[in-house]
Each structure stands twice: as C-alpha cells, then as structure tokens.
Amino acid sequence: MTFLIQQTLLYAVPLMIVALAGVFAERSGIINLALEGIMIFGAFVGVLFVQLMQQSGAFDGAKADGNWLALQGLMLLAMLVTAAAGTLFSLLLSFASVNLRADQTIGGTALNLLAPALVLFLIRIIANQNTLYIDGDAASWFMIRKSDLGFSRSDNLGFLGETFLHRVYLATYVCILLFVVLSVILYKTRFGLRLRSCGENPQAADSLGINVYRMRYAGTSISGALAGIGGFVYALTTANCSSNGDVAGFGFLALAVMIFGNWKPLNIAGAALLFGLFKCVAASYTSIDINGDGVYLLAEIPISVHFYRMLPYLITLVVLAFTSKKSRAPKAEGVPYDKGQR
C-alpha cells in the first residue's frame, strides 16, 4: 500500500499543479491548450539547468558528503528556473491572444507543435542525441530517505513515516503547498476576484477600473510558470530525470482533470488523485501488492499489458463523457476582449 500511495502521488501531483495552471489561464479568459508544450519546455530547461550545475562541479561536494539540504536547494532553484522558462514561453500565447486577438485554440495548438520540435532541436545540438539526461538519477541526487532525516535504515517509521518520509521527493510537497497557496489566492483575495471577473464578464470588470489585458497576461503567466514546474517535476520523478520532447500526454490529461474538477481546486485535487491512481496502475501493475501478502494480483490477471497502458486515457474519456455536460466553464474564456464592445 505504501508503494501504491507514493507512486500515485508521483503521478497525481504534476497533474494537479498543471490543472491549476489551466484554471488560472481560463479564469482570466484565455484558453491555455499549450499546457502540454509548456510542460515539455519546462522539463527540458529543468533537466538542462541541473546538468549544467552538475558539470560545473558546484554540487559535487554536496553529493559526495551526502549534504541533501544543498541538493534539495539545487532542485528548488531548478524549479524557479523552470517557472521562469514556462512564463516566458506562455508569453507567446498571451501576446497572440491579447494583443493580436488570435484564435486561442489555434495558438495553443501551435505552441504544442513548436515545443517538442524546439526541444528536440536543442537536445540534438547540446547532446547530439535524442534524449537529455541528468548525470546519475533522481534517486541518488534528489530523493529523500529516512537516513537523511537522522534515522537509520533499519528503523521502522510506521505506515505514515514510511509512506511520506522515506523515498519521497521534496518537489512533491512543494507542489502541494503551491497548489494550496495559489488556490487560496485565486478564490480568497482581491487579485483572485479581479482575475476571475475578467473571465466571466470583462466589460463589467473594465467598467470598474480593472485592466483586463493586464489581468489576462497575469493569469496566463502564472499558468505558464505552474506548467513549467509541472513539466520539470514530471521529468524528475517519473521520466528517469530525462527530457526527450515528450511528457506522455500529461498536459492534455491535466486539461481533462481541470474540466472534470469543474475549475475548482478541491475537485481538481480529487480528480488528479483518481487519474494518478490509474496512471500508477498502468505503469506499475506488476509491482503492486495491494494486501501486502506478496501476491501481485494485477499481474496475474490475464489482461494484455496494452490494456493497462490505455487505462488512464480510457478512464479520461469515460469520465469526460459523463461529467462534461455538468461542467461550467468561465463565460468569457476564449473570447478576445474588445474594449469598445459592450
């Protein structure tokens, strides 16, 4: 059960933070279909940044001495860099949507096509191969073990300790904290109210002195920052610390989580855990011991491996088919704002 919970969180947390990224953009009135592309770009920038830091030798001493605090600091710095990269990449969508009043669906699709091509092009230039790797792996550089917290390897921390303190990533908890703080900002602060008003009735918001263009830029920029972080966390925790121009459709799954969650943070968190669970089953069904009795039940069921791999996406289609009619999107999302229109 510990393994199942840990793996579910590894898949659910990137979905959760990227789905919140979509909420910020769409609550401001911009449809951000480019979440997949921003994740791909963020994963590349994060992996490249960590690799450059490793090659510079700045953290070799910390790794040799087992100074996990310094290594976690490197990871947090990489998250900040990927947030900045995601913000810059999302400005392409902001400019096209706000200044040029271009079709936001086409703009997002264009960025989804641009990101993997650009990333693969840069990887070929930098590494002369199709995949960029961090030296070593996430387990040796960034994973927190109970020995790092002062416990011995033989100590039994109990179910909660073994689940949430041993063989975990600080990035997971940072993303959860970001999710909570930004959800409060979106729904409990003046800034959040103004942002949401621009996605519901921008003309009314403008009449009250709110700069709709600025708020839409802010919403899309925050969305880009979160999607960039989500891409790096995905690369760090589930993609073997690598970037290859692909994030396994997590950006599109995050859009499904956002719609299923009806653009509300608590619902999104629940939906992300649901999809994360099925993604975990698809990736690790041969290693899941549900009852702790040493029997891997899912592996013994005579079902094709391809079915398990399709399972998260089948669940996405089924859930959206039954819930999309009840979803209520922001009224003005996808509509270019014309200041002279009333």
Side-chain angles (χ1 to χ4, degrees):
M1 187 59 70
T2 292
F3 174 80
L4 181 63
I5 293 174
Q6 287 181 337
Q7 292 299 309
T8 297
L9 284 177
L10 291 184
Y11 289 107
V13 167
L15 283 176
M16 188 170 65
I17 200 73
V18 177
L20 185 66
V23 171
F24 265 92
E26 298 203 4
R27 284 296 184 187
S28 71
I30 303 294
I31 298 176
N32 191 355
L33 289 183
L35 293 176
E36 177 90 358
I38 299 174
M39 284 186 71
I40 291 171
F41 190 68
F44 164 73
V45 171
V47 170
L48 177 62
F49 176 78
V50 173
Q51 187 188 75
L52 291 175
M53 290 296 99
Q54 290 175 323
Q55 292 175 355
S56 70
F59 290 88
D60 286 347
K63 179 64 173 64
D65 297 337
N67 186 352
W68 70 276
L69 284 176
L71 296 177
Q72 298 306 316
L74 171 61
M75 184 203 66
L76 294 176
L77 186 59
M79 292 178 70
L80 288 176
V81 171
T82 55
T87 300
L88 288 174
F89 197 73
S90 69
L91 288 178
L92 295 173
L93 178 64
S94 301
F95 180 75
S97 302
V98 176
N99 295 82
L100 303 181
R101 299 180 186 175
D103 186 287
Q104 297 168 17
T105 302
I106 295 176
T109 302
L111 291 182
N112 284 334
L113 295 174
L114 171 65
L118 176 62
V119 165
L120 285 173
F121 173 71
L122 293 175
I123 290 174
R124 291 289 296 178
I125 292 177
I126 295 169
N128 196 27
Q129 56 187 15
N130 294 327
T131 304
L132 187 68
Y133 293 99
I134 294 175
D135 295 338
D137 56 25
S140 62
W141 276 80
F142 302 113
M143 181 179 283
I144 300 175
R145 298 179 176 85
K146 54 187 174 185
S147 58
D148 297 325
L149 304 177
F151 301 99
S152 68
R153 294 183 179 181
S154 60
D155 287 342
N156 188 348
L157 304 183
F159 174 74
L160 292 178
E162 294 289 339
T163 302
F164 299 107
L165 296 178
H166 181 52
R167 299 182 65 82
V168 295
Y169 294 93
L170 180 62
T172 299
Y173 299 119
V174 171
C175 286
I176 292 174
L177 179 62
L178 275 176
F179 183 86
V180 173
V181 171
L182 290 174
S183 297
V184 171
I185 289 174
L186 184 60
Y187 284 93
K188 300 296 182 181
T189 65
R190 180 182 297 179
F191 169 79
L193 179 61
R194 291 180 174 182
L195 185 77
R196 288 183 286 121
S197 69
C198 293
E200 294 292 340
N201 194 328
Q203 283 78 19
D206 191 17
S207 69
L208 296 175
I210 299 172
N211 190 322
V212 177
Y213 300 133
R214 184 179 301 169
M215 296 306 294
R216 288 190 169 182
Y217 259 98
T220 309
S221 297
I222 295 172
S223 176
L226 292 177
I229 291 174
F232 173 63
V233 172
Y234 167 83
L236 180 71
T237 59
T238 63
N240 197 27
C241 295
S242 65
S243 171
N244 61 357
D246 182 33
V247 289
F250 263 59
F252 297 115
L253 277 176
L255 286 172
V257 167
M258 178 188 69
I259 296 170
F260 178 38
N262 203 18
W263 290 265
K264 296 179 181 178
L266 284 178
N267 294 348
I268 286 173
L273 288 173
L274 174 66
F275 287 115
L277 174 62
F278 284 105
K279 193 72 176 176
C280 170
V281 170
S284 309
Y285 71 96
T286 58
S287 305
I288 296 175
D289 181 3
I290 300 174
N291 299 323
D293 55 2
V295 177
Y296 302 104
L297 181 62
L298 295 179
E300 296 182 358
I301 299 176
I303 296 178
S304 171
V305 61
H306 302 294
F307 173 79
Y308 285 112
R309 291 175 179 173
M310 291 190 301
L311 192 58
Y313 308 99
L314 291 176
I315 294 298
T316 300
L317 292 174
V318 171
V319 168
L320 289 179
F322 285 98
T323 62
S324 59
K325 289 185 178 180
K326 297 180 181 179
S327 298
R328 182 191 173 277
K331 290 182 180 179
E333 72 163 3
V335 180
Y337 175 61
D338 184 357
K339 193 176 180 68
Q341 182 180 357
R342 287 291 183 267

